[in-house]
Amino acid sequence: MNPETQHPDNPDLTERPSESTLPTPDPSAPDPSASDPDAAGAFSHVPVLADEVIQALAPAPGRVFVDGTLGGAGHTGLLLAAGATVYGIDQDPFALNRARAANHPGLHVLEGNYRDMVSLLAGAGVTQVDGILLDIGVSSFQLDDGGRGFSYHTEAPLDMRMSQSGETAADVVNGYDEEDIAAIIYEYGEDRLSRRIARGIVYAREKAPIETTVQLAEIVKRAYPGFSKGIHPARRTFQALRIHVNDELGALRDGLTAAETLLAPDGRLAVISFHSLEDRIVKRFLLGSQVLSPLTKRPVIASEAEQAVNPRARSAKLRSAVRVAGGGA
């Protein structure tokens, strides 16, 4: 795909060739493809706002950081390259396999949700860190894996679980009542036709269960009778279901609170969000915090040059803060 081609399921994501930002893997490490074919491309993620994140977090040798959303480990690679120690957290088993296969001595991989980072770090014997990074939302790897159910272009089971456990998107559309489905699509997808979409879902499932991504995408498209081309109308519904299934906004709120507990005095927090629902939560939290002081009044956005080569960066917003010395959690 052309480097400037937008991802079909999210115009802010792009598929593009990239080089690893992590140090060279240990040659004695096991072959990642032996246990997970996905792991062969470990850490090929190009991070958004890379320079801005490093400026905000100020990594250095001897400092300890948390990457609460490890994913493709692009940002983690930059922290490691600066000599820092990183505790990378992820709930996605495929991301965890890639990270473990890389076998880097400065990276400690922890399985779980970043909302539980206090207990996860305590289990590793760590009670304070110098910095925390949260790169919120679905990753390019998850969207590109057609079998995960995040894409409305690829026929797949209607799953959408990042952790591969718990309630699926299929459980929601087949089991929730019409009013609750409409509320999810309206609140998390901000779709003005949420009630019409929910009505169509309930009507369709009375004939047969909705089990695949393409089935659901077609149902949503029928709620938009004038649609012919452009961004698929299912994008907002899929976003809403994904956020609901993974409790993404709840995790963000918990993660921000956990950051207040973990950060040492003068420790730094950096959060990258990709839509208004996330950014609004981060903004309000930082403004109301008695522990964290924002480093900038407005969110930092990508330069025109970065946006030109990486469309995912177009909607990225970085907010950062420093823990006030002596501030209580």
Side-chain angles (χ1 to χ4, degrees), residues 122-200:
V126 178
T127 57
Q128 280 194 331
V129 297
D130 299 297
I132 296 171
L133 169 66
L134 304 177
D135 184 359
I136 308 303
V138 66
S139 73
S140 301
F141 291 110
Q142 290 165 333
L143 277 173
D144 293 342
D145 185 345
R148 301 291 296 276
F150 292 105
S151 170
Y152 44 79
H153 285 281
T154 305
E155 181 81 21
L158 194 56
D159 194 315
M160 300 193 192
R161 297 170 300 171
M162 294 180 181
S163 66
Q164 295 293 279
S165 63
E167 185 178 58
T168 68
D171 293 330
V172 176
V173 299
N174 289 298
Y176 283 33
D177 63 32
E178 181 178 324
E179 183 176 347
D180 288 339
I181 294 173
I184 289 169
I185 296 171
Y186 182 78
E187 181 177 359
Y188 299 142
E190 299 180 299
D191 196 314
R192 61 185 178 83
L193 297 183
S194 59
R195 290 187 180 277
R196 184 185 297 179
I197 294 168
R199 193 176 308 121

Side-chain angles (χ1 to χ4, degrees), residues 193 196 220-228:
L193 297 183
R196 184 185 297 179
V220 176
K221 187 168 71 173
R222 288 197 291 270
Y224 282 76
F227 173 76
S228 59

Side-chain angles (χ1 to χ4, degrees), residues 232-292:
H232 198 293
R235 179 175 66 89
R236 293 181 181 274
T237 295
F238 272 60
Q239 172 185 294
L241 289 171
R242 190 202 79 224
I243 289 174
H244 174 78
V245 165
N246 296 287
D247 190 23
E248 293 179 31
L249 301 187
L252 176 56
R253 294 185 182 94
D254 290 346
L256 292 170
T257 300
E260 289 186 321
T261 300
L262 273 178
L263 284 173
D266 297 320
R268 296 191 168 201
L269 169 69
V271 184
I272 303 173
S273 62
F274 290 89
H275 58 72
S276 60
L277 296 174
E278 298 166 342
D279 182 61
R280 193 177 303 127
I281 290 172
V282 179
K283 176 183 178 180
R284 290 175 177 172
F285 184 88
L286 294 182
L287 289 176
S289 176
Q290 301 300 309
V291 176
L292 301 172

